[in-house]
Amino acid sequence: MKLSSFAIVLAASAGNHAVNAFTSVSGTNQRLARAASATPAPFGVVIPTEGSVTALAGRRRKGKKTYGKVNINKPSASSPVIKAVTESEIRSLFSLWNNALATGDSRIVAKRYAKEAVLLPTVSDTPRTDYASIKDYFDAFLLKEPQGTILEGDIRIGDGWAQDAGIYEFTMGATGDKVKARYTYVYVFENNQWKIAHHHSSVMPEGIDIAKAITEDEVRGLFQLWNSALDTLDSDAVAKRYAKTGVLLPTVSDVPRTDYDSIKDYFNAFLLKKPQGTILESNVMIGTNWCQDAGIYEFTMGATGDKVKARYSFIYTFEDGQWKIAHHHSSMMPEAQLEPVTTSADPSAVVLEDKDVKSLFSLWNDALATLDPDAVAARYSKSPCLLPTVSDVPRTDYDSIKAYFVDFLKKEPQGTILESYTTSGPNWCMDDGIYEFVFGATGDIVKARYSFVYTKDENDDTWKIAHHHSSQMPEEVVPKASLEAAVVEA
């Protein structure tokens, strides 16, 4: 590659002073390689591309944390040189990446990264360190049709590298959702192009609301907010006690209620009995931004004077500055109900034994083993709700559930139940506990808590998953909150 004679004269006359020297490149990089200027720049140096990039990459491979010095005085005759880029030119590199996202082609996006790049993505714990793994991440992410905008950014420019760090916001074309995140890009000049050598993207930490403090007594007090709403006899007031994506499995209805309208509809009828509840037994668990209260409560029906006991589970999440009910499961006391079930008005109603409830997990696990997301999605009912382990988005239909498992099945998961607690009713059952997954693709082993609610399909008499909630083990998350609290107390 030839340098312009003007650039050679400038480089020779400048001695040890920093000078902007440029090569002519085509295509996208013409904007990043303009004609040489005689005006010295504070960060402009003549750097052999091969020496600069190789030095940086070589030091990263060896694990050293200092960069040392790059010889900038003796560039080889055959090596191209790097110009002293401006901040606006570095910022424009984001547009190249964003335009690659717009193509919807993960191969094009992955080619924006350097040969030895590191991607620490927003929604994956796995560092991506080569073309194949980076492409794999974007195979799933591009399904959301993301387009990004930089809201705040800070640019640093060095010898043969540049950094852009700040906050960006994505609009997901597939859903209309907007998501903010923090970003860091480190660019290097490789094969006559600026490429991404390091990309770290993380959720906004304040948006996580880590470790919202709550005591066991305060958790139990949340029941009184719900009970007081019952006392108003206003179904709207009761329904507003539930989270935006709340799930109600009510005492006297087989239909899971998964939105405001269906929850309100249930209480339109229930409130006619003028119920008021009292907790008889309570077991509280507290995690990071969630808590659970499970036990036995008793209702006095003001309209009739009847008293009714039931088992309950409330899971609360912190939403819009207050604790809301994300999951509410209420069921009749099973020992009192098993006999009447066999002589109920519906002789076809089925109450599964414990061993049969537990065996339903194997059907789902066998579907995972096929690595076919359609086979897994088919295990869910027509009106399902999946609250997955590694996604904030509730999945409430076939397509969204399938989309989740497209990515999850790449890990080749196989599960084993470690602890199981089952409950059965007429044509429904529930299995709660702890399961463990072995990921064949990586060898990793991960524990999680689970809740499955199964219902009997009226059309083909098969049992399907109506509700599936999977969450990380809370003790693996809480220490982060505990550490933050300890710092505040200190």
Side-chain angles (χ1 to χ4, degrees):
M1 181 176 293
K2 295 182 179 180
L3 295 173
S4 69
S5 59
F6 184 49
I8 294 173
V9 170
L10 286 174
S13 63
N16 292 324
H17 293 289
V19 179
N20 290 326
F22 301 85
T23 58
S24 176
V25 295
S26 60
T28 304
N29 294 301
Q30 287 178 346
R31 185 163 45 83
L32 296 177
R34 294 194 279 271
S37 169
T39 304
F43 47 78
V45 291
V46 180
I47 307 173
T49 303
E50 181 179 0
S52 174
V53 176
T54 302
L56 289 173
R59 280 185 289 276
R60 177 163 61 79
R61 286 196 297 270
K62 295 177 182 178
K64 294 183 179 179
K65 295 187 178 180
T66 57
Y67 290 106
K69 295 183 179 179
V70 179
N71 184 352
I72 65 173
N73 296 318
K74 297 181 180 180
S76 66
S78 61
S79 297
V81 292
I82 303 172
K83 60 165 283 187
V85 290
T86 65
E87 291 191 5
S88 63
E89 289 169 333
I90 293 302
R91 175 55 50 78
S92 70
L93 296 176
F94 173 80
S95 296
L96 297 180
W97 179 80
N98 200 38
N99 292 339
L101 294 184
T103 67
D105 188 338
S106 60
R107 297 170 298 179
I108 295 176
V109 181
K111 287 179 180 177
R112 291 303 313 152
Y113 291 79
K115 291 178 181 177
E116 296 186 3
V118 175
L119 166 64
L120 304 178
T122 319
V123 292
S124 172
D125 290 344
T126 306
R128 313 296 173 119
T129 59
D130 57 25
Y131 173 86
S133 60
I134 292 172
K135 177 183 178 298
D136 172 76
Y137 175 75
F138 285 106
D139 284 341
F141 185 62
L142 291 178
L143 296 175
K144 301 176 182 179
E145 301 176 11
Q147 273 295 278
T149 303
I150 288 180
L151 303 181
E152 301 177 30
D154 179 75
I155 292 173
R156 308 292 172 89
I157 299 174
D159 294 348
W161 65 272
Q163 173 184 291
D164 187 358
I167 297 171
Y168 49 18
E169 182 178 67
F170 287 94
T171 299
M172 306 300 177
T175 62
D177 293 340
K178 288 183 178 288
V179 179
K180 287 183 182 180
R182 301 181 300 174
Y183 73 85
T184 299
Y185 293 96
V186 176
Y187 301 99
V188 295
F189 202 69
E190 179 178 285
N191 296 330
N192 292 331
Q193 298 184 67
W194 287 96
K195 292 290 187 78
I196 302 167
H198 174 80
H199 181 193
H200 186 168
S201 184
S202 62
V203 294
M204 302 295 287
E206 294 180 9
I208 301 174
D209 290 327
I210 293 176
K212 179 64 180 178
I214 190 169
T215 66
E216 289 194 10
D217 287 341
E218 288 171 334
V219 173
R220 293 187 177 96
L222 296 175
F223 171 81
Q224 295 305 326
L225 297 179
W226 178 78
N227 200 39
S228 296
L230 293 183
D231 197 35
T232 67
L233 303 181
D234 181 356
S235 59
D236 174 73
V238 181
K240 286 179 177 176
R241 291 304 314 151
Y242 290 79
K244 295 174 184 176
T245 56
V247 176
L248 166 64
L249 304 176
T251 319
V252 291
S253 172
D254 291 345
V255 181
R257 312 297 173 117
T258 59
D259 57 27
Y260 170 86
D261 290 334
S262 60
I263 291 173
K264 182 177 183 294
D265 173 73
Y266 175 75
F267 285 106
N268 284 337
F270 186 64
L271 290 177
L272 296 175
K273 302 176 183 180
K274 300 180 181 178
Q276 272 295 282
T278 303
I279 289 180
L280 304 179
E281 298 180 29
S282 170
N283 300 277
V284 170
M285 294 178 63
I286 298 174
T288 304
N289 295 322
W290 67 268
C291 54
Q292 175 182 289
D293 185 3
I296 297 172
Y297 49 18
E298 183 177 67
F299 288 94
T300 299
M301 306 299 178
T304 62
D306 292 342
K307 289 183 179 289
V308 179
K309 286 184 182 180
R311 299 184 299 175
Y312 73 87
S313 293
F314 289 100
I315 295 177
Y316 303 95
T317 57
F318 198 69
E319 179 178 286
D320 297 333
Q322 54 183 314
W323 290 95
K324 292 292 188 75
I325 302 167
H327 176 81
H328 179 195
H329 184 175
S330 184
S331 61
M332 293 179 285
M333 302 297 285
E335 293 180 10
Q337 295 299 318
L338 287 178
E339 283 301 319
V341 165
T342 61
T343 58
S344 68
D346 182 7
S348 65
V350 176
V351 178
L352 293 181
E353 296 182 6
D354 284 355
K355 63 181 180 61
D356 295 322
V357 175
K358 293 177 181 178
S359 69
L360 295 176
F361 172 80
S362 296
L363 298 179
W364 179 76
N365 200 38
D366 290 344
L368 293 184
T370 67
L371 303 182
D372 180 358
D374 281 300
V376 181
R379 291 301 314 152
Y380 291 78
S381 68
K382 294 178 182 177
S383 56
C385 182
L386 167 63
L387 305 178
T389 319
V390 292
S391 171
D392 291 344
V393 181
R395 314 297 173 117
T396 58
D397 56 29
Y398 179 90
D399 290 336
S400 61
I401 289 174
K402 178 186 173 184
Y404 175 75
F405 283 106
V406 166
D407 190 46
F408 186 64
L409 291 177
K410 291 175 182 176
K411 302 176 183 179
E412 301 176 12
Q414 272 296 278
T416 303
I417 289 180
L418 303 181
E419 298 180 31
S420 172
Y421 306 89
T422 65
T423 305
S424 296
N427 291 338
W428 69 269
C429 58
M430 182 170 70
D431 186 2
D432 296 304
I434 298 173
Y435 49 17
E436 182 176 73
F437 287 94
V438 176
F439 294 105
T442 62
D444 292 341
I445 298 177
V446 178
K447 286 183 182 179
R449 301 182 305 167
Y450 71 86
S451 292
F452 287 101
V453 176
Y454 303 96
T455 55
K456 186 170 174 285
D457 191 296
E458 297 177 356
N459 296 321
D460 58 11
D461 289 337
T462 59
W463 291 83
K464 295 294 182 69
I465 303 168
H467 176 74
H468 179 194
H469 187 165
S470 184
S471 64
Q472 295 176 342
M473 301 297 288
E475 293 181 9
E476 296 180 4
V477 180
V478 169
K480 300 176 185 177
S482 302
L483 180 60
E484 183 176 86
V487 171
V488 172
E489 292 175 0

